[in-house]
Amino acid sequence: RTESVCPFVRCFIGEVTNNTRADAVIVTTVCDQMRRAFDLLVRKCELPAFLMNVPSTWQSFESQKLYIDELKRLSRFLSDLGGKSPSNDALGKVMLEYDGARKSILAAREYLSARRYAEAIVSLGRDGPDKTLDSIMVTEMPIDGVRLAIIGGPLMKQDFALFDVIEQSGGLIVLDATETGERGLCAKFDRRRLRDEPLMELANAYFGGIQDASRRPNGELYKWLRNELASRRVKGIIFRRYLWCDIWHAELHRLKEWSGLPVLDIDTGGDNNNERHRTANRIRAFLEMLQ
């Protein structure tokens, strides 16, 4: 039964169980909901399943070593399914391709709508660098509006309509700090370390470079937000969280107190018309207050 799991995890489980092309499923331990998803998939799905342990604490050598060991264990899992363990040169080449794609996406932010920008970031993980770069070659005229940030967990495909509602209401998302947005991109690779020890640099850029509410401590998330909110002249924050997500719910009060900016809390329990209308009306009212 999936009624009491968060909507994102419920959607994830549905995608996996209905997918006819996947050879395996990989789940991480970033939150309790994802751990539960793994338990459900093991029982409901015939695909080989891998649970990757991601330490919540991160400021220690032991935590980084555990993360690297998990990457190696993942490599063995994929090799057992018919994959091939890459050489350092091959791994470094792929890392550089993705690093270049992330750089191009970031550079295109000023020339894409907030929705297309978010879709390009998601496309990188789903489709790879080549298809993603093709999708951002056509640029758009930037629009004007009240400068906003959206902060929270991952967005689903249907959630991208939020960007359209915001723009139609007179707002403009200049910082996508959701998990599936810009905040979820890893840090830029150090070319020298990548050449010498690509696996270590991979771990450093992902495990040490992605700021999230699940980290303990998560003060680096607020340092990142402080810089980005100021540099992009953000006037208000849309705080987007799923019901049953204790991690982000716990950050709501702290964010309101810390930011000093108007914050609109949007909680969601799933996709239905009543909820979409309620959210749209609340966004319009929030923007009227800011204008």
Side-chain angles (χ1 to χ4, degrees):
R1 293 173 64 84
T2 61
E3 290 83 354
S4 59
V5 301
C6 89
F8 183 86
V9 171
R10 189 164 63 240
C11 182
F12 174 75
I13 292 172
E15 285 287 325
V16 172
T17 54
N18 294 322
N19 194 305
T20 59
R21 296 181 300 168
D23 296 314
V25 55
I26 299 168
V27 181
T28 66
T29 61
V30 174
C31 70
D32 290 337
Q33 292 281 337
M34 290 306 294
R35 291 187 183 92
R36 185 176 180 192
F38 178 79
D39 293 337
L40 289 169
L41 287 171
V42 167
R43 296 198 301 268
K44 295 178 61 174
C45 182
E46 295 182 358
L47 289 174
F50 181 90
L51 182 66
M52 180 173 176
N53 296 297
V54 179
S56 57
T57 57
W58 62 282
Q59 293 177 314
S60 70
F61 172 78
E62 289 77 14
S63 294
Q64 187 179 50
K65 183 178 183 302
L66 173 59
Y67 186 78
I68 293 172
D69 288 342
E70 286 296 283
L71 289 178
K72 293 178 179 178
R73 191 168 68 88
L74 174 60
S75 177
R76 293 193 293 271
F77 170 78
L78 296 175
S79 295
D80 289 343
L81 295 177
K84 182 179 179 181
S85 181
S87 65
N88 282 350
D89 288 343
L91 176 58
K93 180 181 178 181
V94 173
M95 289 169 64
L96 287 175
E97 289 174 356
Y98 274 83
D99 206 40
R102 283 188 291 269
K103 182 179 179 181
S104 296
I105 293 172
L106 292 171
R109 178 175 61 85
E110 297 292 338
Y111 308 101
L112 298 174
S113 68
R115 178 169 184 161
R116 284 196 65 204
Y117 182 57
E119 289 172 341
I121 293 173
V122 171
S123 173
L124 179 60
R126 183 188 63 233
D127 304 322
D130 292 339
K131 289 185 179 180
T132 301
L133 293 178
D134 289 342
S135 72
I136 63 174
M137 290 302 293
V138 179
T139 58
E140 302 170 337
M141 291 296 293
I143 66 168
D144 196 13
V146 179
R147 302 176 70 83
L148 301 173
I150 182 168
I151 299 174
L155 299 180
M156 293 184 283
K157 183 178 180 179
Q158 62 265 29
D159 295 330
F160 289 153
L162 266 175
F163 296 111
D164 298 330
V165 172
I166 290 166
E167 290 185 2
Q168 292 162 6
S169 302
L172 175 64
I173 295 294
V174 295
L175 175 61
D176 182 354
T178 62
E179 190 171 324
T180 45
E182 189 174 331
R183 182 177 57 80
L185 294 175
C186 74
K188 183 179 180 181
F189 294 133
D190 182 293
R191 298 298 179 98
R192 181 185 59 80
R193 290 200 299 262
L194 184 151
R195 183 180 63 251
D196 296 338
E197 294 185 280
L199 181 61
M200 291 291 291
E201 181 57 17
L202 184 72
N204 183 64
Y206 278 86
F207 184 60
I210 299 177
Q211 312 308 330
D212 193 68
S214 65
R215 310 301 296 271
R216 293 294 178 266
N218 64 14
E220 292 298 314
L221 168 63
Y222 286 86
K223 290 181 182 178
W224 183 86
L225 285 173
R226 180 184 295 111
N227 292 334
E228 299 301 328
L229 292 172
S231 66
R232 305 192 194 191
R233 308 189 309 280
V234 169
K235 301 301 181 184
I237 295 172
I238 293 178
F239 189 84
R240 177 58 159 55
R241 61 184 176 88
Y242 293 108
L243 295 175
W244 302 290
C245 182
D246 295 334
I247 291 175
W248 280 105
H249 192 188
E251 298 300 320
L252 177 58
H253 178 72
R254 180 183 179 187
L255 183 71
K256 287 181 175 179
E257 294 288 317
W258 169 85
S259 69
L261 294 170
V263 177
L264 174 62
D265 174 30
I266 296 179
D267 58 350
T268 178
D271 182 31
N272 60 70
N273 287 329
N274 289 335
E275 184 174 281
R276 286 197 297 270
H277 290 316
R278 177 178 72 96
T279 296
N281 289 335
R282 296 186 64 207
I283 288 173
R284 293 188 191 101
F286 182 64
L287 283 162
E288 286 178 7
M289 178 190 72
L290 295 178
Q291 288 171 342

